[in-house]
Amino acid sequence: MFALVGGAALCTALLHGLDWANRAYPPPLEQAKEVSREVVDADGRLLRPFATSEGLWRLQTTASDVDPQFVRMLIAYEDQRFYEHKGVDPFALLRAAGQFVGNGRIVSGASTLSMQVARLIEPRENRSVLAKIRQIARALQIERRLTKAEILDLYLTHAPYGGNLEGVRAASLAYFGKEPRRLSIAESALLVALPQLPERRRPDRFPKEAEAARARVLARLAVSTVIGEGEAERASAEGVPGRRLQLPALAPHLSELALRKDPGRPRHETTIKRDIQQALETVARDAAARLGEKLSVAMVMADARTGAIVGEVGSADYFDATRAGWIDMTRQVRSPGSALKPFIYGLAFEEGLVAQETIVEDRPADFFGYRPRNFDMSYQGDVSVREALQLSLNVPAVRLLDAVGPTRLMVRLRRADVRLALPAGEAPGLAIGLGGAGIRLRDLVQLYAALANQGSIVRLGDGVEAAPEVVVGDPLLDPVAAWNVSDVLSAVLPPRGSRRLGIAYKTGTSYGYRDAWSVGYDGRHVLGVWVGRADNAAVPGLTGYGAAAPILFEAFSKSGVAITPLPKAPPGAVRIAQSELPIGLRRFARTDGGLVSATAREPAPQIVYPPEGAHVELGARSGSAIAPLALKLQGGRAPFRWLANGRMLPESFRRRTAEWVPDGAGYSTLTVIDAVGRAASVRVFVE
């Protein structure tokens, strides 16, 4: 009786002691939580990992990240009763003990996956009985704290694969160049075999040993049962990888930024599309090699409908010191050259100052001491607005900027959250139309995204620095003006050697040949390209058309995005031949009295849109809400009063633009009266 009581007390004390030891000396599971930080694309695919503080490539891995066949082979080879035991397999332990007694040395370790996890998170210096006992104790502790799935995930993350590779994902990327979600039988067998002796079986250094170890895995009866009859023979015929590949290092500038912003975060999500990013980086690297030493290339590609940046290349090669590749040129302020001209023309279209076929002078001009000259130092004489924009003529652009006002252009760009950088102490002047202000490539692409989006503003975001955003509010340009700009730019011929893609694009070259730009867009995506030197040195002969535009077309072609047609003409947008324009829109000129047409002696108001007899599609017959009709005039003295079919619109206007919503389909008469009583009328048909 006393013996039973004493035995029970001893067992109780022993259990309490074990429980106390378990709580007092827990396994170092917290240390196992350090993994490589990852930057991933919009679909969760790896862009770039960062090594741990110990210099290890240890990518977080779960069973759902790897091929299920690999998991079955791993358990069949390493621990067939993994889901049944509590950390120690007694049958395997008895077998190992018998072998030790019979041979005087450890023949097989009987290690379960739980025991291997214990060894991986708390490495031992030598292989001994004492170390094995400690490993068993740790395995029992781990089993009390974690589920089987969590233990398996720890093994998949920490298993050694030679060098500084840890975990199945890192090994698969390094040896096979792919994530382990889809593995062949041969690949799975190799990944099962390597962790036992990772340094001696490294396929990049010891291919014969790696192949032999893989063969032993395939020959195991339990593995053969898992993979099926005949699969082992076929897998054995495959070679093993002979070299170790670099882990992905895409979007390096964005990845570094993500790490700086939140160093402790294990996973950084971006809006980048991996395939697009890889294609753009390849194009940039190859283009820079063709262009010459010290030149770099930067690119930003975005979804114009959502604002999501899908590709972002900060330099031609991040690791190329001769090109200062570590500098992210998408975020540097540089002179845009002529790249802002489309927005000057857009404002002029919106104000009703010009139409595409309006004649504008390209001759030497003096704007209060500012004398712009064309890039080639020649002049075209009288040209249409369409030709002036397509040829990127400087004098016509400055004439229009003088009319709309440089401050107004600056204010309009701020709607899109873009602020031009002016020289210290200077007010906005006419020079900003030709590159006399600084802008970032990202901001320039943001402006062009509004053109692709029918004037509506989207703020670009990459998920790290900012989130993409569709802005609800005033547009950058009204849809008709945005369409006119896109219609003109879509007809610009591609650079020599490039094929037509159905995109609209514009180039720019900064003063002194320091920066070459090209920005293009279709109905969905917008892509901006910058070429130059990071140190802002001049590159004689460097131009947007010659250097940046070919890269733009190549990048668009190789990005993998399908070309989306440009938006259709919105209600009220029409092409009108020069001979059919209202007289006030046939020629653009500037006099001391203000903006006038070719008939400068007739300052009475003239309705320039809609033209007389026009048929305008506003959806009046569809039964849905009727779209407003833009009204534009030239000449006259503000304020202006508009009448529709004899009824006065509710307010007067000081600007030469207004809107009117018809009551329904049919003919209507529109009349405008200026401040001194002069009037003009047109008759239109609303559809």
Side-chain angles (χ1 to χ4, degrees):
M1 183 68 179
F2 289 108
L4 288 175
V5 173
L10 182 62
C11 288
T12 301
L14 181 61
L15 289 174
H16 279 292
L18 290 173
D19 185 63
W20 173 84
N22 177 53
R23 286 184 281 105
Y25 302 99
L29 294 175
E30 285 299 317
Q31 298 177 18
K33 290 183 178 180
E34 186 187 2
V35 294
S36 294
R37 289 156 294 179
E38 301 178 30
V39 180
V40 300
D41 78 347
D43 300 315
R45 295 189 296 174
L46 185 65
L47 291 173
R48 185 182 179 186
F50 290 86
T52 68
S53 59
E54 301 171 286
L56 300 172
W57 295 114
R58 182 191 293 152
L59 306 183
Q60 180 69 48
T61 311
T62 66
S64 61
D65 296 323
V66 301
D67 194 314
Q69 182 78 301
F70 166 80
V71 175
R72 290 192 290 269
M73 291 175 66
L74 172 68
I75 293 174
Y77 186 78
E78 291 284 359
D79 190 356
Q80 296 179 42
R81 286 176 285 276
F82 172 65
Y83 290 106
E84 300 165 12
H85 62 65
K86 298 297 183 182
V88 178
D89 185 348
F91 299 103
L93 199 61
L94 288 173
R95 183 197 69 239
Q99 292 172 337
F100 177 74
V101 172
N103 295 275
R105 59 184 178 86
I106 296 176
V107 176
S108 62
S111 292
T112 63
L113 286 176
S114 303
M115 292 166 65
Q116 292 186 50
V117 166
R119 175 172 53 83
L120 292 174
I121 65 175
E122 194 176 23
R124 64 182 189 273
E125 295 182 1
N126 49 47
R127 194 177 184 186
S128 64
V129 174
L130 185 61
K132 180 64 70 174
I133 293 172
R134 182 178 180 183
Q135 190 182 117
I136 291 171
R138 287 301 197 200
L140 294 172
Q141 287 182 301
I142 290 171
E143 287 272 351
R144 293 187 63 178
R145 287 166 170 81
L146 302 178
T147 66
K148 290 290 187 180
E150 291 171 331
I151 294 170
L152 180 60
D153 291 347
L154 275 177
Y155 178 86
L156 296 176
T157 300
H158 289 266
Y161 280 94
N164 62 347
L165 295 177
E166 285 196 2
V168 176
R169 283 185 64 209
S172 182
L173 288 166
Y175 293 132
F176 311 135
K178 65 180 183 179
E179 292 280 356
R181 292 187 181 89
R182 295 288 181 271
L183 296 171
S184 68
I185 297 297
E187 291 168 342
S188 294
L190 182 62
L191 293 180
V192 169
L194 294 183
Q196 284 77 49
L197 293 170
E199 292 301 329
R200 297 182 190 177
R201 296 176 178 177
R202 283 182 57 169
D204 58 327
R205 294 186 177 179
F206 308 105
K208 291 184 179 179
E209 288 80 354
E211 192 170 355
R214 183 186 67 180
R216 284 193 289 274
V217 171
L218 293 170
R220 182 72 62 88
L221 179 61
V223 173
S224 299
T225 303
V226 168
I227 64 178
E229 187 177 353
E231 291 296 332
E233 290 78 4
R234 282 189 284 271
S236 297
E238 293 186 22
V240 297
R243 63 190 180 97
R244 173 174 162 174
L245 305 174
Q246 293 289 334
L247 267 63
L250 297 171
H253 298 90
L254 182 61
S255 299
E256 293 281 358
L257 176 63
L259 210 65
R260 289 196 301 271
K261 287 180 71 70
D262 192 353
R265 189 173 182 177
R267 181 182 170 94
H268 300 267
E269 297 176 350
T270 71
T271 62
I272 299 295
K273 293 285 188 178
R274 178 174 170 169
D275 293 341
I276 294 176
Q277 180 70 27
Q278 195 161 22
L280 296 187
E281 289 189 17
T282 300
V283 170
R285 185 169 53 252
D286 294 346
R290 293 193 303 267
L291 289 168
E293 296 180 356
K294 298 185 178 180
L295 279 168
S296 193
V297 177
M299 285 188 270
V300 174
M301 190 175 205
D303 186 323
R305 296 180 187 174
T306 66
I309 293 176
V310 296
E312 185 174 287
V313 180
S315 67
D317 187 342
Y318 182 82
F319 300 102
D320 189 342
T322 64
R323 305 179 196 274
W326 63 87
I327 299 177
D328 185 354
M329 296 307 300
T330 68
R331 291 171 169 82
Q332 301 302 310
V333 176
R334 305 296 283 255
S335 166
S338 299
L340 292 178
K341 285 178 181 175
F343 306 98
I344 299 172
Y345 283 83
L347 283 176
F349 284 132
E350 185 176 299
E351 284 295 298
L353 303 180
V354 295
Q356 289 191 31
E357 298 302 327
T358 298
I359 298 300
V360 61
E361 290 185 0
D362 179 37
R363 294 182 177 86
D366 187 333
F367 299 88
F368 303 101
Y370 178 57
R371 300 179 179 88
R373 294 177 295 181
N374 287 327
F375 185 77
D376 60 2
M377 306 302 291
S378 66
Y379 298 91
Q380 304 293 320
D382 284 354
V383 294
S384 68
V385 164
R386 182 181 182 87
E387 292 170 327
L389 179 53
Q390 290 177 342
L391 296 174
S392 195
L393 301 176
N394 288 343
V395 176
V398 174
R399 290 187 188 277
L400 291 178
L401 181 58
D402 186 39
V404 300
T407 300
R408 184 145 180 259
L409 175 64
M410 295 274 288
V411 171
R412 185 60 67 93
L413 298 186
R414 286 175 190 166
R415 284 188 185 178
D417 201 25
V418 173
R419 288 166 172 77
L420 301 183
L422 295 172
E426 288 193 16
L430 297 178
I432 66 174
L434 305 182
I439 194 171
R440 303 187 310 164
L441 176 59
R442 285 167 62 103
D443 290 337
L444 190 61
V445 172
Q446 183 161 296
L447 293 177
Y448 276 81
L451 293 179
N453 209 30
Q454 295 183 300
S456 297
I457 297 169
V458 292
R459 291 198 180 96
L460 304 189
D462 50 33
V464 174
E465 188 176 44
E469 177 188 3
V470 179
V471 178
V472 178
D474 293 332
L476 181 63
L477 294 170
D478 72 39
V480 174
W483 176 85
N484 272 296
V485 172
S486 297
D487 188 52
V488 173
L489 295 181
S490 65
V492 178
L493 293 175
R496 184 176 300 175
S498 301
R499 63 183 182 87
R500 283 186 176 273
L501 296 178
I503 65 173
Y505 83 104
K506 181 72 180 72
T507 61
T509 305
S510 69
Y511 178 77
Y513 301 99
R514 287 176 168 81
D515 308 276
W517 307 78
S518 187
V519 187
Y521 57 94
D522 63 3
R524 183 63 186 264
H525 292 95
V526 57
L527 172 63
V529 176
W530 171 88
V531 179
R533 287 180 52 159
D535 60 4
N536 203 30
V539 184
L542 182 74
T543 66
Y545 187 78
I551 299 174
L552 173 78
F553 276 73
E554 182 184 3
F556 237 120
S557 298
K558 294 183 177 179
S559 67
V561 301
I563 299 297
T564 303
L566 289 164
K568 295 181 179 179
V574 291
R575 297 189 190 96
I576 304 175
Q578 203 273 339
S579 60
E580 297 177 359
L581 287 172
I583 193 168
L585 272 181
R586 293 183 183 177
R587 175 179 288 273
F588 175 83
R590 180 86 167 165
T591 71
D592 293 339
L595 294 175
V596 295
S597 70
T599 55
R601 294 181 297 276
E602 299 176 0
Q606 300 234 2
I607 299 174
V608 295
Y609 190 84
E612 174 64 34
H615 286 238
V616 289
E617 173 61 51
L618 301 176
R621 293 183 175 180
S622 65
S624 58
I626 301 176
L629 175 64
L631 308 175
K632 301 178 182 180
L633 65 92
Q634 191 169 13
R637 182 183 301 175
F640 304 100
R641 276 289 186 181
W642 285 89
L643 294 86
N645 298 319
R647 297 175 58 187
M648 193 169 292
L649 298 192
E651 58 180 311
S652 62
F653 300 85
R654 299 203 64 85
R655 295 175 59 183
R656 288 176 169 79
T657 58
E659 285 187 348
W660 166 62
V661 180
D663 295 329
Y667 279 103
S668 293
T669 300
L670 299 171
T671 302
V672 65
I673 304 172
D674 75 352
V676 294
R678 292 168 297 187
S681 298
V682 294
R683 185 171 170 81
V684 297
F685 187 84
V686 176
E687 298 179 345

